[in-house]
Amino acid sequence: MTERIQEFLRDRRNKGLDVEPCLVVDLEVVRDNYQSFAASLPDSRVFYAVKANPAPELLAMLASLGSCFDCASVAEIQMALAAGATPDRISFGNTIKKERDIARAFELGINLYAVDCAAEVEKVARAAPGAKVFCRILYDCVGAEWPLSRKFGCEPAMAVDVLDLAKRLGLEAYGISFHVGSQQRKLKSWDRALEMAAAVFRDCAERGINLSMVNMGGGFPTKYLKEVPAVVQYGRSIFRALRKHFGNQIPETIIEPGRGMVGNAGVIEAEVVLISKKSEADDVRWVYLDIGKFGGLAETMDEAIRYPIRSRHDGAEMRPCVLAGPTCDSADVLYEKMPYPLPVTLEIGDKLLIEGTGAYTSTYSAVAFNGFPPLKTYHI
Amino acid sequence: MTERIQEFLRDRRNKGLDVEPCLVVDLEVVRDNYQSFAASLPDSRVFYAVKANPAPELLAMLASLGSCFDCASVAEIQMALAAGATPDRISFGNTIKKERDIARAFELGINLYAVDCAAEVEKVARAAPGAKVFCRILYDCVGAEWPLSRKFGCEPAMAVDVLDLAKRLGLEAYGISFHVGSQQRKLKSWDRALEMAAAVFRDCAERGINLSMVNMGGGFPTKYLKEVPAVVQYGRSIFRALRKHFGNQIPETIIEPGRGMVGNAGVIEAEVVLISKKSEADDVRWVYLDIGKFGGLAETMDEAIRYPIRSRHDGAEMRPCVLAGPTCDSADVLYEKMPYPLPVTLEIGDKLLIEGTGAYTSTYSAVAFNGFPPLKTYHI
């Protein structure tokens, strides 16, 4: 929560514009984050995960700082190009692509594609002949607060076949990628993943495929309620692991921070719409906000991410509350299994500040569910 | 799946417009559904739950048929008015309302409001003096495929106090509401709920509050994979339960179908983007579509709703698949715990028809997650 955001929100309130929730992102924090990544991992290229927050102002600033961009769709590629990135600084990092979207990306000059199976390699070979591909490898995400499903990647043994096929089809078998799980707080996780990566490099070399690059993905955490290691600690751990597993043949590396780049730069201001109990005897209050799961806080799904929440009552006695959104959807409850402590003095109409909401909020919000508009955003 | 939808989709394909997924809703099916509700529950007023699908064409058709509208927000109220509904046919059915939104609704002529606690009654009394209120009562939703949380409603004993307060504050304590849970296939569920409702009527009468109305909510199912009772059966059961619990003093009743009104009228056409395995030994295929949890299929959350899926391979041998969406979000998986049987001959590029998707799809879709646009919709 920066001075600049506080001032912006104060100004918005004074102008009477605070009738709806909003997200405010401080671009100076994003700049600091970018510079931390660049300094802590000086030999890695930073590919910002555009999906975390694709605001044009944010992309333009990162482009001017020299960032590269990990894009999930043609639309995101076009946004990165519009922000000033050249095609050589953009990867089409989604392993699930329509062939016509690959062709469109190739027309736009994109030369780096993620794959995780033979069928996807065939599509890239047809639609983007000669391009570089990297194969995503499955990795189990112990220690991540938002562990990943098995949706992306293949077993390491299959990755070798996939890269072999890529080479045979005239593509450049460029490297591999993994993801340690989002909001990963265990530094050791990268060590295990890089050990696996090095093994794939050796297996490929035995088949005459010389890989150049390891895409170490994202997973860098943002601070919610628990402390997280600083980026510099991640940098040191990762460098040690690279040395340990690749010796003096450290490959080119890429990182793809999303949450770690913008999460802590954003704050959502919400309003308390209602505070109630279900019966006179209830000791847990229900607190209803004007933002919920469908308005941008989708990552509270399964209560995975617990955002820090502040109000003008900070310092008052706290009691556990069930926190819910404003829609007529009974699934629109943020924290219930593990109720959230809020001040006993909290009142209807109070503003709450939901911190660490710069990533995976604005674009997740529903287009018009229950008639509520998508989350308003300001990048300052 | 109607002839009209098939023809529309054929035409769209012929014109080469089928590059993105879309939802097609057949308004004639909605018309039939409306008429079934009206005929099966002739003494109940139908308040269509606008949140299920607020397409202007659909609202206009329902308004012309005489439907009333259950609205979750001022925006939905404005949509219902724009569709031709008069204010006396609109309820502000969300128990969570900002006071300024109540005031706005009152200005627009709305006179019927949902409440479930004292604080909400106080807001309505200030912002909509003299209006009618009904109190939502908690009800446990055994038998519903999409059971509701405790988010809405209060215990029956508290409801009496809430309605008493409404009366003292100059509002009209008009009735109560309950919801048996969405996609409720147990006819008995309404019987138990109406028994509870009748008890609240008696308790209120003892306090000098004469209630007039029972809002029996929604919950009427749409046919997904399992058979569901016909609306006429619901009508008979409900009428019997009303007789049993209210004798010859049957109150005015309201129903609020949403899913039951539009669910079976809609079909989503999606494209198979990728079919893969995670290792050579895997016997479950992963099938990735161009629509997922964030593109309109949010109700696959926890794999609650299983949509029927058809393709040109119907009749071929079926094998279980994990079904996932196109985004770079690992939570964007539709069916995994209980894999979905799909034809072994299914190929990349094939179109799938996802049936029963007329409700709770279009407006749930994310505004721009991963750069993908919201779900395209056609109401024909």
Side-chain angles (χ1 to χ4, degrees):
Chain A
M1 184 59 176
T2 66
E3 268 300 324
R4 296 179 71 228
I5 294 180
Q6 279 174 335
E7 199 183 307
F8 178 88
L9 288 173
R10 222 168 12 238
D11 186 53
R12 183 172 177 261
R13 258 174 256 155
N14 289 340
K15 288 179 179 151
L17 297 172
D18 58 335
V19 290
E20 278 169 345
C22 73
L23 164 68
V24 189
V25 175
D26 186 339
L27 293 177
E28 288 186 4
V29 176
V30 181
R31 180 193 304 271
D32 288 349
N33 289 340
Y34 178 81
Q35 282 161 349
S36 288
F37 280 114
S40 303
L41 291 144
D43 300 318
S44 295
R45 284 209 292 169
V46 176
F47 280 68
Y48 170 62
V50 175
K51 62 183 175 290
N53 184 331
E57 309 88 321
L58 194 158
L59 299 183
M61 195 197 66
L62 287 173
S64 75
L65 290 171
S67 184
C68 301
F69 297 90
D70 161 38
C71 295
S73 63
V74 170
E76 285 194 356
I77 290 169
Q78 289 168 324
M79 288 187 258
L81 290 169
T86 45
D88 59 303
R89 285 161 60 193
I90 294 172
S91 84
F92 199 162
N94 193 339
T95 53
I96 309 152
K97 299 174 290 297
K98 289 184 180 173
E99 191 166 328
R100 57 181 175 274
D101 287 344
I102 299 170
R104 181 76 189 112
F106 195 61
E107 272 171 29
L108 293 170
I110 309 307
N111 200 39
L112 184 57
Y113 297 84
V115 295
D116 68 356
C117 64
E120 195 71 14
V121 165
E122 288 163 6
K123 284 193 240 168
V124 176
R126 283 191 298 265
K132 294 176 176 173
V133 294
F134 58 92
C135 185
R136 170 87 173 251
I137 295 172
L138 269 175
Y139 177 73
D140 90 64
C141 309
V142 179
E145 281 189 22
W146 180 268
L148 307 183
S149 69
R150 287 168 57 85
K151 181 174 177 186
F152 308 106
C154 61
E155 294 291 343
M158 196 166 112
V160 181
D161 294 334
V162 167
L163 289 162
D164 190 35
L165 176 66
K167 193 181 169 194
R168 283 186 282 125
L169 294 180
L171 296 169
E172 184 175 347
Y174 190 56
I176 59 169
S177 72
F178 59 77
H179 200 295
V180 295
S182 197
Q183 188 69 3
Q184 177 57 268
R185 293 183 299 130
K186 290 228 161 90
L187 296 169
K188 274 249 165 161
S189 205
W190 275 269
D191 182 74
R192 271 205 306 131
L194 285 167
E195 182 179 5
M196 180 186 73
V200 176
F201 264 59
R202 283 192 300 273
D203 292 345
C204 280
E206 279 173 21
R207 300 262 285 267
I209 309 159
N210 294 305
L211 303 180
S212 311
M213 185 274 286
V214 177
N215 178 340
M216 302 186 288
F220 306 97
T222 203
K223 189 182 171 301
Y224 297 115
L225 288 169
K226 298 176 197 159
E227 285 301 324
V228 298
V231 171
V232 63
Q233 288 174 267
Y234 283 92
R236 271 192 224 120
S237 287
I238 288 171
F239 185 73
R240 265 199 305 270
L242 280 166
R243 265 269 168 272
K244 178 170 151 198
H245 301 297
F246 287 91
N248 56 6
Q249 292 200 297
I250 293 183
E252 181 189 332
T253 53
I254 278 176
I255 54 169
E256 297 175 331
R259 192 187 304 280
M261 187 76 87
V262 296
N264 70 336
V267 172
I268 285 174
E269 184 180 76
E271 184 176 321
V272 176
V273 181
L274 184 63
I275 303 175
S276 68
K277 291 184 170 192
K278 298 292 159 189
S279 74
E280 293 303 337
D282 253 2
D283 52 1
V284 171
R285 287 167 301 164
W286 280 69
V287 174
Y288 301 89
L289 308 182
D290 59 359
I291 187 170
K293 261 202 173 75
F294 302 103
L297 300 177
E299 290 208 320
T300 55
M301 206 188 296
D302 299 325
E303 311 196 8
I305 300 281
R306 277 176 91 80
Y307 297 106
I309 299 178
R310 294 172 54 183
S311 74
R312 68 185 173 94
H313 304 280
D314 285 358
E317 188 195 340
M318 308 289 257
R319 293 250 184 87
C321 297
V322 175
L323 205 60
T327 66
C328 280
D329 193 307
S330 89
D332 185 14
V333 175
L334 306 175
Y335 304 117
E336 181 177 16
K337 278 174 274 176
M338 212 177 135
Y340 199 101
L342 288 173
V344 290
T345 47
L346 196 70
E347 289 175 12
I348 292 172
D350 276 340
K351 299 293 188 188
L352 292 185
L353 297 171
I354 309 176
E355 296 185 332
T357 45
Y360 300 114
T361 48
S362 56
T363 54
Y364 258 124
S365 88
V367 64
F369 191 55
N370 273 226
F372 293 111
L375 182 60
K376 249 198 158 51
T377 61
Y378 304 95
H379 290 76
I380 60 171
Chain B
M1 183 60 174
T2 65
E3 268 301 325
R4 297 179 71 226
I5 294 179
Q6 279 173 336
E7 198 184 307
F8 180 89
L9 287 173
R10 224 168 11 241
D11 186 54
R12 183 171 178 260
R13 260 174 252 155
N14 290 341
K15 289 180 179 150
L17 296 172
D18 58 335
V19 292
E20 277 169 345
C22 73
L23 164 68
V24 189
V25 174
D26 187 339
L27 294 179
E28 289 185 5
V29 177
V30 181
R31 180 194 305 271
D32 288 349
N33 290 340
Y34 178 81
Q35 282 161 348
S36 287
F37 280 115
S40 302
L41 291 145
D43 299 318
S44 294
R45 283 210 293 169
V46 177
F47 279 68
Y48 170 62
V50 175
K51 60 183 177 291
N53 184 333
E57 308 88 320
L58 195 157
L59 298 184
M61 195 197 66
L62 288 173
S64 75
L65 291 170
S67 185
C68 302
F69 297 91
D70 162 38
C71 296
S73 63
V74 169
E76 285 193 355
I77 290 169
Q78 288 167 325
M79 289 187 259
L81 290 170
T86 45
D88 59 306
R89 285 160 60 193
I90 295 173
S91 84
F92 199 162
N94 194 339
T95 53
I96 309 153
K97 298 174 292 297
K98 288 183 180 174
E99 191 166 328
R100 57 180 173 273
D101 287 343
I102 300 170
R104 181 77 188 111
F106 195 61
E107 272 172 29
L108 292 169
I110 310 307
N111 200 38
L112 183 57
Y113 297 84
V115 296
D116 69 356
C117 65
E120 196 71 14
V121 166
E122 287 164 5
K123 284 192 241 169
V124 177
R126 282 190 299 264
K132 293 176 177 175
V133 295
F134 57 92
C135 184
R136 169 88 173 251
I137 294 173
L138 269 174
Y139 177 72
D140 89 66
C141 309
V142 178
E145 281 190 21
W146 180 269
L148 308 182
S149 68
R150 288 169 56 85
K151 182 174 177 186
F152 308 106
C154 62
E155 296 290 344
M158 198 167 110
V160 182
D161 293 334
V162 166
L163 289 162
D164 189 36
L165 176 66
K167 192 181 169 193
R168 281 186 283 121
L169 294 179
L171 296 168
E172 183 175 346
Y174 188 56
I176 59 169
S177 72
F178 58 77
H179 200 296
V180 294
S182 198
Q183 189 68 6
Q184 176 58 266
R185 294 184 298 129
K186 291 228 162 91
L187 296 169
K188 275 249 164 161
S189 207
W190 275 270
D191 182 74
R192 273 206 304 129
L194 285 167
E195 182 178 5
M196 179 186 75
V200 176
F201 265 59
R202 284 192 300 272
D203 291 347
C204 279
E206 280 173 20
R207 299 260 288 264
I209 308 158
N210 294 305
L211 301 181
S212 311
M213 185 273 286
V214 177
N215 177 338
M216 302 186 288
F220 306 97
T222 203
K223 189 184 171 300
Y224 297 114
L225 290 169
K226 298 176 196 157
E227 285 301 323
V228 298
V231 171
V232 63
Q233 290 174 265
Y234 282 93
R236 271 191 225 120
S237 286
I238 288 171
F239 185 73
R240 265 199 304 271
L242 280 166
R243 266 270 168 270
K244 177 171 152 197
H245 301 298
F246 287 92
N248 56 5
Q249 292 201 297
I250 293 184
E252 181 190 331
T253 54
I254 278 176
I255 55 167
E256 295 175 333
R259 189 187 306 281
M261 186 77 87
V262 296
N264 71 335
V267 172
I268 285 174
E269 184 180 74
E271 185 177 321
V272 176
V273 182
L274 184 64
I275 302 175
S276 68
K277 291 184 169 193
K278 298 292 158 190
S279 74
E280 294 302 338
D282 252 2
D283 53 0
V284 172
R285 289 166 300 163
W286 280 70
V287 174
Y288 300 90
L289 307 181
D290 60 358
I291 187 170
K293 261 203 172 75
F294 301 104
L297 301 177
E299 289 207 320
T300 56
M301 205 189 294
D302 300 325
E303 311 196 10
I305 300 283
R306 278 175 91 78
Y307 297 106
I309 299 178
R310 295 172 54 182
S311 75
R312 66 185 175 95
H313 304 281
D314 284 356
E317 188 195 341
M318 308 288 258
R319 292 250 183 85
C321 297
V322 176
L323 204 61
T327 66
C328 280
D329 193 306
S330 90
D332 185 13
V333 175
L334 305 176
Y335 304 117
E336 181 177 17
K337 277 173 274 174
M338 212 177 135
Y340 198 101
L342 287 173
V344 291
T345 47
L346 196 70
E347 288 174 11
I348 292 173
D350 276 340
K351 299 292 187 188
L352 293 184
L353 296 172
I354 310 175
E355 297 185 331
T357 44
Y360 300 115
T361 49
S362 56
T363 53
Y364 258 124
S365 89
V367 64
F369 191 55
N370 274 228
F372 293 110
L375 181 60
K376 247 193 159 52
T377 61
Y378 304 95
H379 290 76
I380 61 172

